[in-house]
Amino acid sequence: MEKTSSLSISRPYYSPKELSYLHSKTIADSKKVIYNQRKHQVYQYLFQIIKVLKLPLKVLNTSMIYYQKFYLFNIFEEEFEDFSNIEKSMELDPFNVSLASLFLACKNEDCIKKLRDILLVANKIKDNQIEENFIELQRKIILGLEFKLLQILQFNFNNQISFSTDSLVLQFCKKINLNYKYSLFCWLVNFDLMLTPIGLTLPPHCIALAIIIISLNFKPNDLKTRELSSGVNENILDSLNPKDFKCPEKLVNEGILYILDFYIHQYNLSILNNYLPQINEDLNKEQIFKFMNLKSKFNNLRTLNEHSIDGNLLKQDESLSLFDYSISSKGTSRFINKRKRLLEEID
Amino acid sequence: MTQRKYTKEKKVGEGTYAVVYLGKTEKSRQIAIKEIKTGLFKDGLDMSAIREVKYLQELRHENVIELIDVFSNDGNLNLVLEFLPADLEVLIKDQSIIFKPGDIKSWLLMTLRGIHHCHRNFIIHRDLKPNNLLISPDGYLKIADFGLARSLGNANEDLSSNVVTRWYRSPELLFGAKHYDTAVDIWSIGIIFAELMLRTPYLPGQDDINQLDVTFRALGTPTEANWPNVTALPLYNAINVYAPPSRQELRNRFSAATEKALDLLIAMTVLDPSKRCNSTQALMDDFFTESPPPTRPENLPSKNTNKKQKTE
């Protein structure tokens, strides 16, 4: 029987196992490489739009979270078999999904731009011919995608982005008196992380603290900057306590290991690569070895325990299935943003 | 479980982005359902709706309207809100209702408690006025309409100064400041406090330029001496200079106010926002502990015949 109602509880974060499970359903193995390529392109594309429109960086961060969240519940397929159906092809185009993500992120971050203005800039960057009919069709497609995104987010605008990681990184650097080079290193790492799914797994303050701990261990004294930096107090690292930053230790540890893995595998493609000399002055080897050294140092960190999550349980979890938009268009979809609320009702 | 049943009983209002219906829950609790229009003629989901959902989902306080549920039906977004049949503006305008000093104290206290909860969650309301202070059937005042609210952003972010209904707009907003904070709400509450005592709007400017004149005629024109750097604000130019009112002039204007009531009014309407009191200071003010005590909500005057629920 066709379902006429549904209940969605907002899930702010997903464990690494849940993320891989969701991706296994939405991104075919044959498309994993292309998904990652597109994600890099989308990130560059949105960054250019944001620069032209003079939007703050947190909008890019939020847009990337929305974009990646979209593909947790929607199948990544770029081309629709029926070429005559232009609307459907446009709806599947990841660049249009990214524009819908940017449009909603602008609203949520209170940096409102008219969709038309975003599209004019976006099409110019892509060298698309800007015809009135095309813009109107694109606008219609993106507004449809926005409503899909809103449902995937369960109309919850607060969970992942109440405080953006970039502003928290800077605030934490200030709080512990980190010098310019170390702070810039942190900021660059955060910039690199925006294109990763780390924001779907960990809250911003835990990511920010993990970045700071990596910076203090990495000691980026050879970072290329014009500014001179004072020395860093060696005792800062020992005195850092995750509890002072309201961070659960295991989540910070997850962050540390994730970031190190990211640079071990993708250092050459990273923005940080442009700011560090090729050879690490401490090791006299390539920078990547420094990240590998740190990984072995941190290998015993206690991280999230996912032993209880197995494939069968994930299959039974309805909140991890593909999103059924037909229910809200024909029937009723109810959205709850707090689990506590649901438990109250069951009681 | 998924189908929590609500009934829509009658349409009570229609605004630019929403239609409001009165209804009931399964347990016969009265509710208001705001049906948000999501048509293509607009730029997607309206910003006011996003703000309302975003902030009300986070706030749970007896002096803030409760967002009971969010659901999507036939492609529309519906917000289920608690039913609040009256507002403070209606009571102020009804000259047949007599306000006792304890009543005014009670409404002011409930407004400050509600806004204190918003401010400690880093949310600025930005549209406080009697019309947005709704009254529950049991007399509780609740802050509503978060369509202009926003969270306190980064210090380097520009904020729009085109917020707050004109009569309740603070001087920094009138001067076009792009950086402001929770003090704009405190100013509005100060002006509402004055209106509760006067039973007529305190600073009714006819347009934005006239609002500056009306405000400074009543409270004095800010200068570099009492508000450092005020002259650097974008719209600070060609304004008439008025002397600040003497204590006696204020006593004459607010003839029924006690000295402590005047002290609190003055603290909430200091021209320089950095010297204006905050919600904590206002709540701790001696005015609330001097006699008479605030009237209990259930004993406050009400207008039983008026059935009203805010639309945008």
Side-chain angles (χ1 to χ4, degrees):
Chain A
M1 209 177 99
E2 202 180 351
K3 274 170 114 182
T4 55
S5 71
S6 68
L7 172 71
S8 316
I9 305 160
S10 166
R11 288 277 308 269
Y13 305 108
Y14 298 88
S15 74
K17 264 191 184 176
E18 286 171 329
L19 274 189
S20 341
Y21 171 73
L22 286 162
H23 277 154
S24 73
K25 295 195 345 171
T26 55
I27 308 164
D29 285 344
S30 58
K31 290 192 173 161
K32 287 219 156 79
V33 174
I34 198 146
Y35 170 79
N36 281 321
Q37 281 175 352
R38 278 298 165 268
K39 196 169 68 173
H40 274 80
Q41 289 166 347
V42 154
Y43 175 70
Q44 293 300 336
Y45 180 53
L46 294 181
F47 183 48
Q48 287 182 60
I49 300 171
I50 277 167
K51 270 201 295 192
V52 176
L53 291 171
K54 296 192 171 75
L55 292 165
L57 210 53
K58 64 180 181 177
V59 174
L60 178 63
N61 193 19
T62 310
S63 310
M64 288 308 293
I65 287 175
Y66 288 172
Y67 176 81
Q68 294 181 88
K69 197 147 188 184
F70 184 86
Y71 287 116
L72 295 182
F73 299 97
N74 291 279
I75 292 173
F76 175 77
E77 49 185 343
E78 290 194 292
E79 282 164 14
F80 191 57
E81 283 169 8
D82 177 6
F83 291 107
S84 61
N85 192 338
I86 297 172
E87 288 196 20
K88 187 70 188 168
S89 300
M90 285 177 77
E91 205 183 307
L92 294 175
D93 182 352
F95 288 96
N96 282 336
V97 173
S98 77
L99 291 176
S101 307
L102 173 66
F103 181 51
L104 186 58
C106 283
K107 286 183 182 176
N108 196 19
E109 297 295 350
D110 247 296
C111 308
I112 313 152
K113 293 277 171 206
K114 283 197 171 133
L115 180 53
R116 210 186 149 71
D117 295 342
I118 294 177
L119 293 182
L120 287 173
V121 172
N123 286 317
K124 206 168 177 187
I125 286 170
K126 268 187 114 186
D127 275 337
N128 279 351
Q129 282 189 329
I130 309 170
E131 282 174 24
E132 196 51 41
N133 289 350
F134 177 76
I135 293 264
E136 206 34 57
L137 178 60
Q138 198 181 16
R139 194 172 162 273
K140 187 179 143 197
I141 299 292
I142 287 170
L143 290 179
L145 285 167
E146 184 204 34
F147 200 62
K148 282 189 171 180
L149 256 177
L150 285 163
Q151 292 179 77
I152 288 170
L153 298 170
Q154 280 97 17
F155 291 91
N156 187 343
F157 303 104
N158 276 336
N159 281 326
Q160 289 158 328
I161 40 170
S162 341
F163 297 97
S164 65
T165 318
D166 74 309
S167 76
L168 283 175
V169 164
L170 295 181
Q171 284 178 46
F172 288 2
C173 287
K174 238 178 173 178
K175 186 178 163 73
I176 60 170
N177 277 328
L178 220 51
N179 74 16
Y180 183 81
K181 272 186 198 279
Y182 280 53
S183 302
L184 180 61
F185 177 90
C186 291
W187 192 84
L188 292 167
V189 172
N190 175 56
F191 202 68
D192 274 330
L193 291 178
M194 281 187 201
L195 66 73
T196 72
I198 192 171
L200 299 174
T201 309
L202 301 172
H205 63 310
C206 297
I207 302 172
L209 188 57
I211 293 173
I212 293 205
I213 291 171
I214 287 182
S215 166
L216 286 164
N217 280 283
F218 193 96
K219 299 181 179 138
N221 294 312
D222 48 355
L223 195 75
K224 295 176 213 161
T225 59
R226 274 186 235 154
E227 302 278 329
L228 291 172
S229 285
S230 54
V232 165
N233 182 352
E234 294 287 330
N235 298 328
I236 294 180
L237 194 54
D238 298 329
S239 60
L240 268 189
N241 183 356
K243 282 184 187 156
D244 294 339
F245 297 84
K246 314 274 184 218
C247 295
E249 198 177 332
K250 281 183 184 175
L251 295 186
V252 178
N253 293 347
E254 282 280 346
I256 292 171
L257 295 179
Y258 185 92
I259 298 166
L260 292 174
D261 271 336
F262 169 78
Y263 282 117
I264 288 168
H265 294 107
Q266 302 198 39
Y267 178 72
N268 290 338
L269 298 171
S270 71
I271 292 156
L272 189 62
N273 182 25
N274 301 330
Y275 286 82
L276 283 171
Q278 202 179 355
I279 302 297
N280 182 282
E281 66 178 19
D282 281 350
L283 296 177
N284 210 16
K285 284 183 181 173
E286 286 187 15
Q287 298 288 0
I288 201 166
F289 287 95
K290 182 79 181 182
F291 288 108
M292 288 162 94
N293 278 4
L294 288 180
K295 180 78 196 286
S296 57
K297 178 181 168 186
F298 286 122
N299 231 357
N300 293 327
L301 287 181
R302 285 193 311 148
T303 54
L304 290 175
N305 177 353
E306 289 193 274
H307 293 310
S308 61
I309 304 175
D310 66 26
N312 281 334
L313 268 179
L314 291 174
K315 276 180 201 161
Q316 288 169 33
D317 189 341
E318 282 189 32
S319 71
L320 301 180
S321 47
L322 290 181
F323 204 92
D324 185 355
Y325 300 102
S326 66
I327 297 174
S328 67
S329 60
K330 292 176 194 157
T332 304
S333 293
R334 186 175 166 217
F335 304 98
I336 295 187
N337 76 331
K338 289 193 174 91
R339 195 175 146 71
K340 193 177 144 205
R341 174 69 191 271
L342 180 70
L343 297 176
E344 275 171 15
E345 282 187 28
I346 292 171
D347 287 345
Chain B
M1 184 71 249
T2 58
Q3 269 284 40
R4 219 181 181 209
K5 290 200 176 71
Y6 299 108
T7 50
K8 281 181 185 169
E9 290 177 351
K10 70 171 181 184
K11 185 171 161 180
V12 286
E14 184 160 3
T16 46
Y17 86 95
V19 184
V20 179
Y21 298 90
L22 289 190
K24 279 196 177 115
T25 65
E26 277 173 310
K27 291 177 183 168
S28 295
R29 180 185 176 187
Q30 279 198 298
I31 45 147
I33 300 178
K34 201 178 249 188
E35 191 180 282
I36 313 280
K37 300 169 185 171
T38 52
L40 288 175
F41 60 94
K42 290 246 163 205
D43 240 17
L45 186 59
D46 194 275
M47 202 48 220
S48 310
I50 289 192
R51 287 186 176 128
E52 193 132 34
V53 177
K54 180 174 174 176
Y55 297 118
L56 287 180
Q57 271 176 343
E58 288 303 300
L59 296 168
R60 190 72 84 89
H61 189 272
E62 68 177 12
N63 299 119
V64 175
I65 190 169
E66 184 192 352
L67 176 64
I68 300 167
D69 229 333
V70 177
F71 67 89
S72 162
N73 177 238
D74 295 333
N76 283 325
L77 176 65
N78 292 267
L79 309 184
V80 183
L81 295 153
E82 68 179 308
F83 171 68
L84 299 165
D87 69 54
L88 205 54
E89 186 189 25
V90 171
L91 298 183
I92 291 171
K93 281 185 175 164
D94 187 340
Q95 296 296 334
S96 68
I97 300 173
I98 293 164
F99 289 0
K100 294 193 289 294
D103 302 341
I104 295 175
K105 194 174 286 183
S106 179
W107 284 317
L108 181 66
L109 185 60
M110 289 191 279
T111 309
L112 282 168
R113 280 178 178 158
I115 210 65
H116 179 67
H117 187 65
C118 298
H119 290 178
R120 70 182 168 191
N121 283 289
F122 311 104
I123 295 166
I124 323 179
H125 185 281
R126 303 200 301 182
D127 197 16
L128 289 174
K129 54 182 174 180
N131 186 237
N132 282 339
L133 302 177
L134 306 190
I135 312 284
S136 72
D138 49 0
Y140 279 85
L141 178 148
K142 295 177 190 248
I143 299 175
D145 193 352
F146 281 70
L148 267 179
R150 71 161 291 160
S151 51
L152 276 168
N154 294 338
N156 55 0
E157 238 175 279
D158 280 358
L159 309 184
S160 164
S161 59
N162 191 18
V163 291
V164 187
T165 304
R166 191 187 303 124
W167 297 349
Y168 307 91
R169 207 177 286 162
S170 63
E172 63 270 30
L173 294 175
L174 293 172
F175 285 142
K178 292 203 166 78
H179 300 279
Y180 52 83
D181 62 9
T182 50
V184 299
D185 286 339
I186 298 297
W187 174 277
S188 304
I189 297 175
I191 305 306
I192 295 167
F193 181 26
E195 189 169 332
L196 282 167
M197 293 191 277
L198 298 170
R199 299 295 293 268
T200 184
Y202 180 37
L203 306 172
Q206 285 153 9
D207 52 47
D208 290 357
I209 304 290
N210 180 246
Q211 187 63 43
L212 280 165
D213 198 64
V214 169
T215 304
F216 301 139
R217 199 185 284 266
L219 293 158
T221 305
T223 60
E224 282 292 322
N226 60 14
W227 180 353
N229 297 324
V230 64
T231 52
L233 288 172
L235 303 177
Y236 187 94
N237 47 28
I239 47 172
N240 293 325
V241 177
Y242 301 103
S246 66
R247 182 89 183 180
Q248 193 52 47
E249 280 169 323
L250 287 173
R251 277 188 198 120
N252 295 344
R253 182 90 201 257
F254 300 96
S255 51
T258 63
E259 287 302 306
K260 293 212 185 301
L262 274 187
D263 285 344
L264 179 56
L265 177 65
I266 291 167
M268 288 200 285
T269 53
V270 174
L271 296 167
D272 180 350
S274 66
K275 294 176 193 146
R276 207 172 294 151
C277 72
N278 59 32
S279 58
T280 311
Q281 289 161 335
L283 282 167
M284 300 295 281
D285 196 90
D286 289 345
F287 170 66
F288 293 111
T289 47
E290 76 167 353
S291 188
T295 311
R296 298 167 79 87
E298 61 271 25
N299 298 331
L300 283 166
S302 64
K303 188 163 182 166
N304 294 328
T305 49
N306 186 282
K307 297 274 181 202
K308 181 174 190 305
Q309 184 77 27
K310 275 269 314 129
T311 62
E312 297 318 306

